[in-house]
Amino acid sequence: MSPVRTENTAESTKDTPELWTTRRINRTALLTMVVMLFAWSVDYVDRFSISMALPLIGQEFGVGKTEQGWLITVFALVYMVCQIPAGYLADRFGSRGPMLVTLIMWSVFTAFSGMAGTFGMLLVIRGLFGVCQGCFPAASIKAIAERTTPENRATTTGVMMAAGGVGAGVAPLIVGPLLVAVGWRHTFVWIAACGVLLGVAVWLILPKPLPAKLSENRKETQAPQGISRKQVLRSPMIWKFALLFCVSNMLAYGLVTWVPSYLVEVRHLPLDQTGVYAAIPMLVGIGTTILGGWLFDKYFHDKARWYLAVVSLVTAALLALMVNASGTVEFTVYETLAVGVSSMATMAIFGLPFRVLPPAVAGMGAGIINFGGQVAGAVAPVVMGLLADHFSFTAAFGFLIVTTVLTAVVAFWVPQHAGQFSFR
């Protein structure tokens, strides 16, 4: 077995656990939480800007919704393939370096997106953009595993995951006016420049890791401490959580990709108003994602199945009301409620694995679970594009109701508590 190299090892010889007071540990977790929130917000703004621009891109290149959906899917396919190798790299080389490289490189390819001369070239650029962003999640989750204790890890990770709402909510507010003012090409260049500056700032502020004795789970997990990356890769339990994240993540990808086009083409809203309506549900999801992380740490860390099932079924009911809404405001209200409720389940998916996995292999575990989530990114945009092209947006959004109900079913297949994990 190859040695596992982490930032914790380098620090442990200089900084013993006895020097880490409760106040210092909490301050490290808080600063890490804030830094990761900003980093992931930049990630999602860059990633979701393309959704707002799809109507203009389709008009310029003369392509339909199916082809437009491929711009999201090609990114997601490449992003998906990168997850497990990225987890290995994060565990082998630590979190800080990979995060800096990916933050800068994905901003470069965001700028290149605005320079594409053909639709085919734009597809290639979005694929390369997926490579750069694909290396980021595992490194960032490893960074949190190294800088938090197991007792507050789900709360901290929940705040970071809330950046999906920040990015998806802020992106329409920023991108909508930019698209109107300077067009879709210059919009990508402006977003890329901001991403580089913020990426470097985030990297400089990230605190150093906790000693390994503080960041590893000594109380809850019954798994051996010497878990290898190969054992994590072969664990059926981790792959079950990957499947759970896959079916639950269909909702996020589907709404972010197609709600802007729906509002423009069916509700006939101008782009700047579309940005506001598209932002509201995602901004609400910020608070409920954080709330879900706290609820998991406090009450549901050993009862996640029922929690997930109830949340998913309520979300499906709200989506059904959204699909049958008669007006734009009613549609947005039900979408907001659906996103708000579903976001409460995010850390019920990630919380238990990240309590069980030692920080030394957290990158690999994160890569596998996020691989499942990105299968949704490859499937939902193109399937919903096909349904919208050949049937209607009602059929496309109906697809999300089915996958959300399926989330409730899969929830009863994953482990319920740490003792059910096996890495043999």
Side-chain angles (χ1 to χ4, degrees):
M1 185 192 345
S2 61
V4 176
R5 190 176 148 198
T6 70
E7 292 176 73
N8 299 64
T9 305
E11 296 289 347
S12 61
T13 58
K14 306 175 185 178
D15 209 357
T16 62
E18 291 74 19
L19 297 177
W20 286 78
T21 63
T22 300
R23 183 178 179 182
R24 186 181 179 188
I25 292 169
N26 291 338
R27 186 172 63 245
T28 297
L30 178 62
L31 185 55
T32 301
M33 185 168 60
V34 172
V35 169
M36 290 295 99
L37 177 63
F38 275 102
W40 274 60
S41 296
V42 173
D43 176 316
Y44 278 99
V45 168
D46 285 7
R47 187 189 309 184
F48 292 146
S49 297
I50 192 78
S51 299
M52 285 293 296
L54 283 180
L56 297 178
I57 292 172
Q59 183 179 359
E60 178 171 333
F61 290 116
V63 296
K65 295 181 186 63
T66 303
E67 290 81 4
Q68 293 171 38
W70 274 105
L71 285 174
I72 312 297
T73 292
V74 72
F75 161 84
L77 283 170
V78 177
Y79 187 99
M80 173 185 72
V81 170
C82 290
Q83 292 310 298
I84 296 175
Y88 171 82
L89 291 173
D91 286 336
R92 182 70 178 85
F93 298 107
S95 57
R96 189 184 293 267
M99 282 196 295
L100 175 64
V101 173
T102 57
L103 277 163
I104 292 176
M105 289 306 298
W106 87 50
S107 295
V108 169
F109 283 105
T110 298
F112 285 170
S113 297
M115 304 174 189
T118 65
F119 185 76
M121 181 58 68
L122 185 57
L123 280 172
V124 172
I125 291 170
R126 297 306 292 182
L128 294 172
F129 176 71
V131 173
C132 299
Q133 283 213 335
C135 294
F136 181 71
S140 63
I141 290 173
K142 183 177 180 66
I144 283 184
E146 292 170 334
R147 291 163 175 83
T148 59
T149 61
E151 291 75 21
N152 64 9
R153 190 161 296 152
T155 302
T156 305
T157 309
V159 172
M160 181 182 75
M161 300 295 284
V166 175
V170 170
L173 296 176
I174 296 173
V175 176
L178 275 175
L179 289 170
V180 173
V182 299
W184 71 271
R185 292 183 179 278
H186 287 94
T187 293
F188 283 119
V189 176
W190 277 101
I191 293 171
C194 294
V196 170
L197 294 175
L198 287 173
V200 173
V202 161
W203 180 78
L204 291 173
I205 298 170
L206 186 69
K208 65 181 179 180
L210 303 179
K213 288 185 178 179
L214 295 175
S215 61
E216 289 180 356
N217 192 339
R218 300 296 185 183
K219 292 187 293 184
E220 291 191 21
T221 180
Q222 298 179 22
Q225 287 299 313
I227 300 170
S228 69
R229 289 186 289 266
K230 185 177 291 186
Q231 286 175 298
V232 175
L233 182 62
R234 292 178 176 177
S235 170
M237 306 300 179
I238 297 296
W239 283 101
K240 287 179 182 179
F241 278 99
L243 175 62
L244 181 61
F245 190 34
C246 173
V247 291
S248 68
N249 210 29
M250 295 283 184
L251 177 63
Y253 264 107
L255 293 179
V256 168
T257 302
W258 289 115
V259 164
S261 295
Y262 167 81
L263 294 175
V264 169
E265 297 176 20
V266 177
R267 300 296 180 179
H268 307 295
L269 294 183
L271 276 171
D272 51 354
Q273 289 186 32
T274 295
V276 174
Y277 278 100
I280 293 171
M282 304 307 163
L283 292 173
V284 169
I286 299 169
T288 55
T289 300
I290 296 171
L291 174 62
W294 179 81
L295 287 172
F296 179 84
D297 271 341
K298 191 76 174 176
Y299 301 110
F300 296 107
H301 53 272
D302 58 353
K303 325 178 172 65
R305 288 177 181 171
W306 286 102
Y307 177 74
L308 275 169
V310 171
V311 166
S312 299
L313 292 175
V314 171
T315 300
L318 291 167
L319 288 172
L321 293 171
M322 181 193 80
V323 168
N324 291 288
S326 58
T328 303
V329 173
E330 185 182 355
F331 177 92
T332 304
V333 167
Y334 285 125
E335 183 197 1
T336 301
L337 291 172
V339 170
V341 172
S342 67
S343 296
M344 293 175 66
T346 302
M347 286 319 302
I349 298 171
F350 284 91
L352 181 57
F354 294 159
R355 277 182 170 236
V356 171
L357 290 170
V361 293
M364 178 62 75
I368 294 170
I369 296 173
N370 207 39
F371 173 88
Q374 302 323 305
V375 172
V379 172
V382 71
V383 168
M384 291 180 68
L386 283 166
L387 290 171
D389 264 341
H390 295 286
F391 299 98
S392 65
F393 273 108
T394 298
F397 292 133
F399 170 78
L400 299 181
I401 298 174
V402 173
T403 56
T404 303
V405 172
L406 188 57
T407 302
V409 175
V410 177
F412 285 95
W413 194 43
V414 300
Q416 178 83 319
H417 53 78
Q420 295 177 336
F421 268 82
S422 172
F423 293 94
R424 294 183 179 85

